[in-house]
Amino acid sequence: MLTKLTYAFRITHIANIPYIEKVGLVRADSPLRDPAYVSIGDKKVIEVRSNRIAQGHRLKDYIPFYLGPRSPMLYVIQHGYNGVQRVNAEDIVYCVVRLADLQQSDIDLVFTDGHALSVLSSYFEKKDLPRIDSVVKVQDVYSSQWNLEEDLDLKRRKEAELLVKGDLAVDYIKGYVVYNDEAKERLIAMGVPREKVAVRPGYYF
């Protein structure tokens, strides 16, 4: 059983991987933004985030990551709920970064103990990253359920975020997680080294 937070995850469409492998992960308004970028997710939420300043942080300046897999947003994307375009699991890729690598870098970042847009969530600075496990519970962000009558706040906590300021070089992407072997072979055909791709169907719905 996982007892410590080690990684952060950003989901993207598989069509974006060749560009990401060349340039890295970039903000929506970055000069390095891919003009052919395929967006997934809730456009209304994306728009809200682009205009939100939370506890002194302009969210548009950061690339958001979740601290665990199987997020509520992934559920919405896979099922096409709330007006969100449905995307098949095999077309969704997790870009995985290691918290220790970010800690040892000069990259600026913050993290939250819940969804970044929630007024109930607190923000923490990079200097707090070594104690992230005392702030964000691994059992919360890795939980497979979140709508529990006995814990109505679990959904917010499961959506705890790591927010990386600016663009993130591809060297920080330690690997990719995909739904099945077919998706893995597609990434390999795109030029991604085989050892960088892991098949984890349990990370999907």
Side-chain angles (χ1 to χ4, degrees), residues 40-108:
I40 60 175
D42 191 326
K43 290 182 172 58
K44 291 179 288 187
V45 173
I46 294 171
E47 179 64 24
V48 170
R49 292 181 73 105
S50 70
N51 296 307
R52 179 67 60 89
I53 298 177
Q55 299 185 25
H57 302 284
R58 293 198 317 168
L59 296 187
K60 66 184 294 186
D61 294 336
Y62 295 83
I63 300 173
F65 293 78
Y66 286 122
L67 291 164
R70 288 172 59 91
S71 68
M73 180 53 68
L74 176 64
Y75 184 83
V76 170
I77 293 169
Q78 281 192 235
H79 290 85
Y81 293 150
N82 303 333
V84 173
Q85 177 68 42
R86 181 180 179 276
V87 181
N88 292 329
E90 65 182 28
D91 291 327
I92 301 171
V93 177
Y94 285 86
C95 302
V96 185
V97 301
R98 186 180 292 127
L99 298 182
D101 293 341
L102 297 175
Q103 172 65 32
Q104 295 163 10
S105 75
D106 59 359
I107 294 169
D108 193 10

Side-chain angles (χ1 to χ4, degrees), residues 90-200:
E90 65 182 28
D91 291 327
I92 301 171
V93 177
Y94 285 86
C95 302
V96 185
V97 301
R98 186 180 292 127
L99 298 182
D101 293 341
L102 297 175
Q103 172 65 32
Q104 295 163 10
S105 75
D106 59 359
I107 294 169
D108 193 10
L109 60 85
V110 297
F111 65 94
T112 69
D113 60 2
H115 196 291
L117 293 179
S118 173
V119 296
L120 299 177
S121 297
S122 297
Y123 280 65
F124 299 84
E125 305 299 324
K126 184 177 182 179
K127 63 181 176 59
D128 300 310
L129 197 56
R131 65 181 187 93
I132 189 172
D133 290 291
S134 67
V135 174
V136 178
K137 303 303 182 185
V138 65
Q139 62 265 30
D140 289 345
V141 294
Y142 277 80
S143 173
S144 60
Q145 303 292 327
W146 57 83
N147 290 324
L148 304 178
E149 290 186 6
E150 63 271 25
D151 189 354
L152 297 179
D153 188 50
L154 179 57
K155 181 175 182 290
R156 180 193 67 84
R157 300 197 313 272
K158 179 173 174 55
E159 295 178 291
E161 299 181 41
L162 178 82
L163 302 167
V164 173
K165 193 168 188 179
D167 299 333
L168 187 66
V170 68
D171 292 346
Y172 287 97
I173 302 176
K174 292 307 172 186
Y176 302 98
V177 171
V178 295
Y179 177 64
N180 56 21
D181 287 330
E182 288 78 6
K184 179 176 182 176
E185 293 304 320
R186 287 167 68 188
L187 288 195
I188 293 169
M190 293 174 180
V192 178
R194 181 177 296 272
E195 62 271 17
K196 285 186 68 174
V197 188
V199 177
R200 297 286 187 273

